[in-house]
Amino acid sequence: MPGVARATFTTSRLRRNRPITARSDKELSETVAPPLSHEGRAPDAARILILDYGSQYTQLIARRVREAGVYSEIRPHDLSASETAAFGASGVILSGGPESVFAERAPAVSDAVIGLGVPILGICYGMQALAAKLGGSVQPAEHREYGYAEVMVPVDSPLLGGLVPNGAPLRVWMSHGDRVEKLPAGFLPIAASANAPLAGMSDPNRHYYGLQFHPEVTHTDHGQAIIERFVHDICGCGSDWTSHNIIKEHIERVRAEVGDGQVLLGLSGGVDSSVVAALLHEAIGDQLVCVFVDNGLLRLNEGDQVMAVFQEHLGVNVIRVNAEAEFLDALAGVSDPEEKRKVIGRKFIDVFEREATRLDGIRWLAQGTIYPDVIESAGASTGKAHVIKSHHNVGGLPATMRLKLIEPLRDLFKDEVRKIGVELGLSKELVGRHPFPGPGLGVRILGEVKKEFADILRKADDIFISELRKYQLYDQVSQAFAVFLPVKSVGVMGDGRSYEYVVALRAVETVDFMTAHWAHLPYDLLDHVSRRIINEIAGISRVTYDISGKPPATIEWE
């Protein structure tokens, strides 16, 4: 078959000795992914319900709870009473949000939440909403608090007691314009700042707590300890949400859903699709078929590396499709970033569907959708978030494929995906790779995409990344890459004039990729990378370093 290389490997290092536990799953829709659910987890498994009031930090709350070894899900603040009760929460966290509780139609705490009879922690707006619900008073503050603040912890409490020495302030992160002026009956003050005398509250009898500051952000000292005290000490949750248990549960779920059907996976070589491949292979072995589309927009030698990695670690049936010419032809003359993304996405579907029709017995399509994809696309998460960006793997399948969709990582955060990847036998280097855009180098080549540009950029990017690794800085930055600029710059090569292209280097540090700072890389590293790129790659006469933060810039250039 022209353009297709098949590699079938039969020896796997992974053990397939997980017990199969049958359960009754609701069958997946043929074209639409199911909403997230705790269905399938043990009835007595601890779980925290996080109600989203619109905070930019809501995802961080969920991550911090899971880091404490407790499963959590984000749901909308107006979750129905039946869904609230059915969730089976061991505790509830009310997120922050941009609204004012005394504003018209302000989001409130529902009777269903109070009726659960489980511990509640309100954060920022969540504290104010809880106070207002239970008879307290909230008013606009004379002085707003945004950013760093210090709070005093005047009394011992299960939530904050003993975190700092007596008389020492707790350094926290505030973000509010309103404050609680009067506590509800039965509550005690447990924290105070200069601008918010009631910066924390506690009802020890009902196990209700409120914090005006954000313990989930890294700027708050002992923030993780506060979250752990709530979920472990106050809610009584154990630490069962571990990589081993995640793998066990997800394998059992896959086996129950798929049965004896064959599953098709589009393997990109990225972290998410690689971990999906490892998980599915562990669960169903030879029932998995992977298609790897080499679109000519990958990093240097990446296609060969993907095949080698999966030969060594998985023993999966991998179909490699060499489609560089098709993608470059489709991109000819296209320079608008969004149009390039659409062209690349459509071409991928065309190639993938073509290969899928050549396979017999395929009933399922697997995708590497993860929890942040769902949240950012405002899919089956809270339903309250604005759409930040559309993800190609959220929202169902092309109707022509007639396959059922399975998304094994749909309820996992990226850090959880990486951890289970390592436990499944993938190398730390593979699962620890920096993010790489779905359209690949197509959006790191500004303007029209040409093979010449892609070949130049591949080499420049490889030099940059290899030197970061040599300097032991690769894991210290969150994302690093090179960008090709389709402009020429005058230079001097030897004794002659040169007129060649420009490459920009980009490296950022971030916690959540919502905001980012440019990485302050050592000058000697940048000097060395620049000299290597110009000396070793024909066609480049100048190297620049991007020192823009996000905002106002985005991390990727396109």
Side-chain angles (χ1 to χ4, degrees), residues 110-151:
S110 70
D111 291 336
V113 170
I114 300 300
L116 290 176
V118 300
I120 299 174
L121 170 61
I123 296 175
C124 196
Y125 179 88
M127 169 181 168
Q128 298 164 9
L130 182 62
K133 175 69 176 179
L134 299 176
S137 174
V138 180
Q139 297 296 329
E142 291 184 10
H143 302 284
R144 298 181 178 184
E145 283 185 299
Y146 294 104
Y148 174 81
E150 295 182 350
V151 301

Side-chain angles (χ1 to χ4, degrees), residues 7-330:
T8 304
F9 310 109
T10 57
T11 303
S12 173
R13 292 185 177 184
L14 300 177
R15 299 186 307 276
R16 296 183 57 209
N17 56 1
R18 311 278 184 182
I20 300 177
T21 302
R23 65 179 178 85
S24 175
D25 279 25
K26 183 179 179 181
E27 186 176 7
L28 294 174
S29 165
E30 288 191 355
T31 60
V32 180
L36 289 173
S37 171
H38 62 266
E39 181 181 347
R41 294 191 171 87
D44 58 348
R47 55 182 68 94
I48 297 295
L49 173 62
I50 299 169
L51 295 179
D52 183 18
Y53 286 85
S55 171
Q56 62 180 316
Y57 302 131
T58 304
Q59 282 194 46
L60 291 180
I61 300 173
R63 288 177 57 192
R64 298 292 178 251
V65 172
R66 293 190 185 192
E67 286 171 8
V70 181
Y71 181 76
S72 63
E73 278 188 29
I74 300 170
R75 297 295 183 89
H77 65 79
D78 56 355
L79 190 67
S80 70
S82 60
E83 290 177 302
T84 299
F87 186 87
S90 304
V92 177
I93 298 180
L94 313 175
S95 84
E99 306 294 340
S100 295
V101 296
F102 51 85
E104 186 178 358
R105 290 178 293 188
V109 179
S110 70
D111 291 336
V113 170
I114 300 300
L116 290 176
V118 300
I120 299 174
L121 170 61
I123 296 175
C124 196
Y125 179 88
M127 169 181 168
Q128 298 164 9
L130 182 62
K133 175 69 176 179
L134 299 176
S137 174
V138 180
Q139 297 296 329
E142 291 184 10
H143 302 284
R144 298 181 178 184
E145 283 185 299
Y146 294 104
Y148 174 81
E150 295 182 350
V151 301
M152 303 304 295
V153 183
V155 297
D156 192 16
S157 74
L159 193 64
L160 303 179
L163 290 176
V164 292
N166 289 337
L170 178 65
R171 296 177 297 183
V172 302
W173 189 259
M174 291 278 197
S175 180
H176 71 100
D178 302 333
R179 69 182 190 184
V180 175
E181 293 286 350
K182 177 185 175 183
L183 294 178
F187 278 82
L188 302 172
I190 59 172
S193 73
N195 292 318
L198 301 175
M201 64 181 192
S202 160
D203 180 338
N205 293 322
R206 289 181 288 182
H207 306 294
Y208 292 167
Y209 294 84
L211 297 174
Q212 188 59 71
F213 58 88
H214 290 271
E216 70 272 22
V217 302
T218 56
H219 309 333
T220 293
D221 286 352
H222 309 292
Q224 183 63 27
I226 295 171
I227 296 292
E228 290 179 1
R229 285 185 175 190
F230 178 71
V231 299
H232 293 313
D233 301 342
I234 296 170
C235 297
C237 299
S239 300
D240 299 324
W241 188 247
T242 63
S243 295
H244 175 78
N245 289 341
I246 292 172
I247 291 171
K248 181 177 182 292
E249 174 189 315
H250 283 65
I251 284 175
E252 292 171 355
R253 187 188 307 175
V254 166
R255 289 176 178 172
E257 284 182 335
V258 171
D260 60 358
Q262 282 198 299
V263 179
L264 179 65
L265 169 67
L267 180 62
S268 70
V271 175
D272 300 334
S273 73
S274 296
V275 175
V276 168
L279 183 66
L280 289 175
H281 183 71
E282 179 83 349
I284 59 176
D286 295 340
Q287 293 170 238
L288 172 67
V289 179
C290 293
V291 172
F292 171 51
V293 178
D294 189 341
N295 59 10
L297 302 173
L298 304 176
R299 289 164 285 200
L300 188 67
N301 301 323
E302 188 167 14
D304 294 337
Q305 291 168 358
V306 168
M307 300 299 289
V309 164
F310 281 86
Q311 176 181 10
E312 178 181 355
H313 289 283
L314 290 180
V316 178
N317 180 6
V318 182
I319 301 172
R320 179 175 181 173
V321 184
N322 298 313
E324 178 183 47
E326 290 185 64
F327 278 83
L328 292 178
D329 287 346

Side-chain angles (χ1 to χ4, degrees), residues 26 46 71 88 124 140-141 187 212 260 271 290 296 332 389 400 433 466 468 499-500 514 521 546:
K26 183 179 179 181
Y71 181 76
C124 196
F187 278 82
Q212 188 59 71
D260 60 358
V271 175
C290 293
K389 57 182 177 180
T400 56
R433 294 176 77 179
S466 65
L468 282 173
Y499 188 54
E500 305 291 357
M514 297 172 66
L521 298 180
D546 183 350

Side-chain angles (χ1 to χ4, degrees), residues 462-477 480 505 507 520-532:
D462 184 67
I463 289 173
F464 185 29
I465 298 303
S466 65
E467 291 299 334
L468 282 173
R469 291 191 184 278
K470 288 180 183 177
Y471 276 70
Q472 298 184 338
L473 290 172
Y474 182 82
D475 294 328
Q476 305 305 311
V477 299
L505 306 178
H520 292 213
L521 298 180
Y523 290 154
D524 58 340
L525 166 63
L526 293 173
D527 175 62
H528 182 56
V529 170
S530 176
R531 285 188 287 106
R532 277 200 62 192

